[in-house]
Amino acid sequence: MSDTHIRTEGHAGRITLTRPKALNALSYAMCLDVERALDRWREDDSVHLILLDAEGDKAFCAGGDIAEMYRSGIAGDYDYGRNFWRDEYRLNAKLAEYPKPVVSFLNGFTMGGGVGLGGHVSHRIVGDRSRISMPETAIGFVPDVGGTFRLAQAPGRLGEYLGLTAYRMNASDAIHAGFADTYIPEDAWPALKENLVHTGLVAQVEAATQPVPDSPLAARQAQIDDLFGGETLRDVLNALRNDPSEFAAETLKTMERVSPLSMALTLEMIHRLRGPSLTIRKALELEYRVSYRVMEHGDFLEGIRAAIIDKDNTPNWRHAPDGVTASDVSKMLRPLGPDTLDFKEKAMQIAFIGLGNMGAPMAANLAKAGHSVTGFDVAGTTADGVTNATSAPEAVKGAEVVITMLPNGDILRGVATEIIPHMEKGAVLLDCSTVDVDSARAVASQASYAGLMALDAPVSGGIGGASGGTLTFMVGGPDDAFAIAKPLFDIMGQKAVHCGASGNGQAAKICNNMILGVTMIATCEAFSLADKLGLSREAMFDVVSTSSGYSWSMNAYCPAPGVGPTSPADNGYNPGFAADLMLKDLRLSQQAAETADADTPLGQAATELYRTFVEDEDGKGRDFSAMLPRFEKRHRG
Ligand code: NAD
């Protein structure tokens, strides 16, 4: 975990920044940790609201951690910064759009990245020490992290003033400008946090609210509107130069120190965004156009050098204050084409062990969705877009999620023992095979002992569902692991049901497949009877698929060739889902029924039929729907 303390307390998800010595500057790792926590708590019913605060009394968060950005940028690597911004902006949008209340406590300095973190949430609290600003123009950048969304909505021309001058707002200014909601003196914050945690009721915020003191900024509103109403930077500078007031002279002095290109860009961005159709995503998308280009074509690296690296405070900006042209501005704001900010979830490092009938298309779908997938199969099989490793331990190195799709519980236990020592701490071991409940639970405890999280997530939907990305996952295991895997379930399937603790996914799967085995036999029996009664298969399908005898076996996986949707029956009964695997699942169901003392006569009969088919007849290696040609050949008695 990075410099964040993430936990649940009472009814609250709590995120505390724990880097007070660096004024809680937001690093890339902190950003990703916060996002993961939000993803986790989104569907956790025990979390009613989120509390966002920071250690120390100097700063909530004084900005993004730009040291690494500078190091990589100065070496000509712009990708690190672009990726950081891309992921940070996605987090900013997520916070603004979060479906549960998020309460931020903006103590001390809340600047740049800090505004992105705590300045867009549903309940933003400020106190007497709060100092809020968007200071980016001073380092050759523009207000980002959704800052332009706030600036474009600030009253009158306040947005232009705040964005260009980096003015530090106090609590009442921030409320006036729309960067905060509620004034509560800091000494009342601990009790409020406690109440929020214990009650889970965000109404506690309103109850603790105090009247807002007068805002110095509001008192200047008319003057600011006058001075910052111009269309271009030159218009604004001229208005300030022609105004005899001390305020104009001081403001001009501030603006002479900051990047002219940054100021001109900020002005244009606010003008473009202001209006009724503004959304935070629109603002972030526009900001990203600048972030993407600013190291190479803007004043960013020079601004950081002068302010933070060499600390000489004499930046050599690219333009003179009056020298920024309209084309300089529009070049930086041109759309980015394929690199446009699209708020897509971050690509994950995934290992996939077992690239068989099911595993290969599942792994290919993950790769197609943009994830980085490394695969391994003892048979040497591969999948589209997947990088092959030479062994399972090699495949799992550095993976955040390791997926297994293997024939049975014994093989799963063997593979787990082989890979667990090579997996990263905190990674998720996600087994999608169908195995016995005991193996699932044994692997889960082995993983948990090694500091990993494990999920059993068998699937239903067959190879059609695997390649079409429409599987159903039945999942057992901890909430945290489920939240991490959820975006992957959404790619590989259409539904993921969290069935409870480890092993419960397999329990659900075994019950489902007992129904499937029984209905496939019933469907094949009925086709065979229909044949002998002289009913055409087409007519049989047409009637049953829309009548009360319908089932997945009939409608989606029809065992009669040439009838209904394409299925293994149309491919000489090549699996598909092999009869051997169905026998395996039915045996698992009977093993579980035995342990649980459940009466399952049809499950028992189906197991015996598939056993005979696979072990005594020609069923081995054929699809489980090849029961139909079996019945065709047979007679009563
Ligand atoms: P499969 O036999 O086609 O694939 C399993 C793969 O695992 C094979 O490619 C095999 O070489 C590989 N493997 C075996 N041992 C290994 C090891 N030690 N290391 C690495 N790879 C190894 O089977 P499948 O149809 O893809 O089914 C996989 C799992 O999914 C099974 O548990 C099955 O019950 C379940 N399932 C299958 C279907 C289906 O329709 N096929 C549907 C639902 C669930």
Side-chain angles (χ1 to χ4, degrees):
M1 181 108 15
S2 60
D3 294 307
T4 49
H5 183 200
I6 292 177
R7 73 279 187 199
T8 52
E9 278 175 17
H11 297 287
R14 296 207 57 177
I15 300 171
T16 303
L17 308 186
T18 55
R19 237 188 142 189
K21 282 193 186 135
L23 300 181
N24 292 311
L26 187 69
S27 68
Y28 199 170
M30 290 162 78
C31 211
L32 297 178
D33 280 346
V34 172
E35 182 178 26
R36 268 195 286 271
L38 293 176
D39 290 343
R40 220 165 39 234
W41 293 331
R42 184 187 298 268
E43 285 169 40
D44 181 343
D45 292 340
S46 68
V47 173
H48 297 190
L49 45 77
I50 315 285
L51 258 64
L52 201 49
D53 61 4
E55 278 182 5
D57 55 9
K58 285 212 181 75
F60 167 69
C61 170
D65 187 346
I66 44 185
E68 187 55 36
M69 275 194 192
Y70 179 80
R71 265 195 295 279
S72 52
I74 211 78
D77 167 15
Y78 307 128
D79 283 346
Y80 174 84
R82 287 170 182 168
N83 291 337
F84 185 166
W85 277 313
R86 181 177 282 269
D87 291 337
E88 185 180 15
Y89 295 0
R90 189 183 58 247
L91 169 66
N92 302 144
K94 217 169 249 193
L95 282 159
E97 296 163 355
Y98 204 65
K100 298 180 181 184
V102 181
V103 186
S104 62
F105 291 84
L106 308 178
N107 60 306
F109 291 116
T110 298
M111 310 201 290
V115 170
L117 204 57
H120 303 304
V121 301
S122 62
H123 295 73
R124 303 161 300 173
I125 297 172
V126 277
D128 294 312
R129 285 198 301 270
S130 299
R131 291 292 175 271
I132 300 183
S133 75
M134 295 306 296
E136 290 81 0
T137 52
I139 51 160
F141 193 27
V142 294
D144 69 331
V145 297
T148 59
F149 176 66
R150 297 280 143 224
L151 296 173
Q153 293 178 92
R157 299 296 175 152
L158 214 51
E160 285 87 334
Y161 170 69
L162 294 170
L164 268 56
T165 65
Y167 176 83
R168 285 181 184 167
M169 296 175 273
N170 67 12
S172 47
D173 290 337
I175 292 172
H176 174 68
F179 280 71
D181 304 297
T182 302
Y183 168 71
I184 302 175
E186 281 93 343
D187 55 10
W189 290 9
L192 173 59
K193 288 179 193 178
E194 212 164 295
N195 283 342
L196 288 166
V197 162
H198 291 307
T199 63
L201 297 173
V202 80
Q204 299 290 335
V205 172
E206 275 103 87
T209 301
Q210 297 286 320
V212 186
D214 288 341
S215 153
L217 206 51
R220 285 225 181 265
Q221 182 76 55
Q223 195 178 6
I224 287 171
D225 289 351
D226 228 26
L227 291 167
F228 283 81
E231 199 47 43
T232 64
L233 177 60
R234 199 169 306 167
D235 296 337
V236 173
L237 289 171
N238 284 338
L240 289 164
R241 285 170 188 142
N242 293 333
D243 189 294
S245 70
E246 200 179 314
F247 173 70
E250 266 173 25
T251 305
L252 199 55
K253 222 159 108 193
T254 305
M255 288 171 58
E256 274 162 1
R257 286 196 293 266
V258 307
S259 156
L261 178 61
S262 296
M263 287 195 290
L265 280 167
T266 304
L267 209 57
E268 175 64 16
M269 291 162 81
I270 293 171
H271 291 172
R272 280 195 198 183
L273 291 171
R274 184 173 281 136
S277 65
L278 176 58
T279 62
I280 188 151
R281 288 183 181 233
K282 232 179 176 176
L284 288 162
E285 191 273 311
L286 187 64
E287 291 166 3
Y288 188 66
R289 297 182 195 185
V290 180
S291 320
Y292 189 90
R293 300 181 169 109
V294 78
M295 293 210 205
E296 204 174 357
H297 304 293
D299 282 327
F300 183 66
L301 293 175
E302 175 59 8
I304 299 180
R305 183 206 61 74
I308 293 162
I309 309 295
D310 296 342
K311 294 192 169 65
D312 60 17
N313 288 323
T314 52
N316 185 15
W317 303 129
R318 286 173 193 249
H319 302 82
D322 293 287
V324 187
T325 66
S327 123
D328 294 329
V329 170
S330 69
K331 265 191 219 154
M332 294 291 282
L333 292 174
R334 275 200 314 254
L336 287 171
D339 291 321
T340 299
L341 181 70
D342 54 13
F343 302 95
K344 269 202 193 130
E345 297 296 317
K346 186 174 148 18
M348 267 190 203
Q349 191 74 34
I350 297 168
F352 209 113
I353 316 290
L355 301 168
N357 288 321
M358 296 291 288
M362 289 163 74
N365 280 338
L366 293 172
K368 202 164 97 194
H371 293 295
S372 162
V373 188
T374 304
F376 175 72
D377 191 297
V378 276
T381 46
T382 186
D384 284 351
V386 171
T387 309
N388 266 35
T390 54
S391 69
E394 184 197 314
V396 305
K397 263 193 204 125
E400 299 161 76
V401 177
V402 174
I403 305 179
T404 46
M405 195 54 173
L406 298 162
N408 59 49
D410 285 344
I411 295 180
L412 170 68
R413 286 178 193 241
V415 168
T417 304
E418 203 186 344
I419 60 177
I420 283 175
H422 301 273
M423 285 177 64
E424 300 282 318
K425 291 261 172 305
V428 175
L429 176 55
L430 169 58
D431 176 48
C432 297
S433 335
T434 307
V435 303
D436 57 291
V437 176
D438 287 348
S439 293
R441 292 190 174 144
V443 166
S445 61
Q446 198 181 347
S448 142
Y449 190 70
L452 309 170
M453 291 186 278
L455 292 173
D456 51 293
V459 302
S460 131
I463 47 169
S467 44
T470 56
L471 295 168
T472 295
F473 290 85
M474 298 146 238
V475 192
D479 291 345
D480 285 3
F482 182 78
I484 292 172
K486 180 73 171 53
L488 306 183
F489 293 141
D490 291 343
I491 294 165
M492 297 186 287
Q494 59 186 355
K495 192 169 178 186
V497 182
H498 194 187
C499 304
S502 293
N504 284 12
Q506 296 296 352
K509 170 69 187 177
I510 285 166
C511 293
N512 180 75
N513 274 23
M514 190 173 79
I515 297 173
L516 177 63
V518 169
T519 56
M520 180 54 85
I521 288 170
T523 307
C524 294
E525 276 182 9
F527 264 117
S528 161
L529 173 62
D531 287 345
K532 288 177 181 159
L533 295 174
L535 182 64
S536 81
R537 288 183 167 183
E538 197 60 59
M540 167 81 174
F541 176 81
D542 283 351
V543 171
V544 176
S545 64
T546 52
S547 300
S548 47
Y550 82 96
S551 67
W552 186 84
S553 299
M554 172 61 85
N555 291 34
Y557 206 93
C558 183
V563 176
T566 306
S567 69
D570 301 301
N571 187 25
Y573 294 101
N574 279 328
F577 183 41
D580 334 25
L581 289 176
M582 176 46 88
L583 175 59
K584 177 191 92 175
D585 292 358
L586 285 167
R587 279 181 167 150
L588 292 176
S589 75
Q590 294 318 292
Q591 190 185 321
E594 193 73 40
T595 318
D597 191 22
D599 189 21
T600 55
L602 288 181
Q604 217 168 342
T607 310
E608 181 49 25
L609 270 170
Y610 271 105
R611 191 205 61 72
T612 312
F613 185 46
V614 170
E615 293 181 355
D616 303 341
E617 300 170 3
D618 63 348
K620 192 167 174 57
R622 305 187 77 192
D623 190 72
F624 86 119
S625 61
M627 271 285 169
L628 175 53
R630 176 191 185 275
F631 282 118
E632 273 171 41
K633 283 188 253 152
R634 296 174 64 89
H635 299 280
R636 195 165 183 86

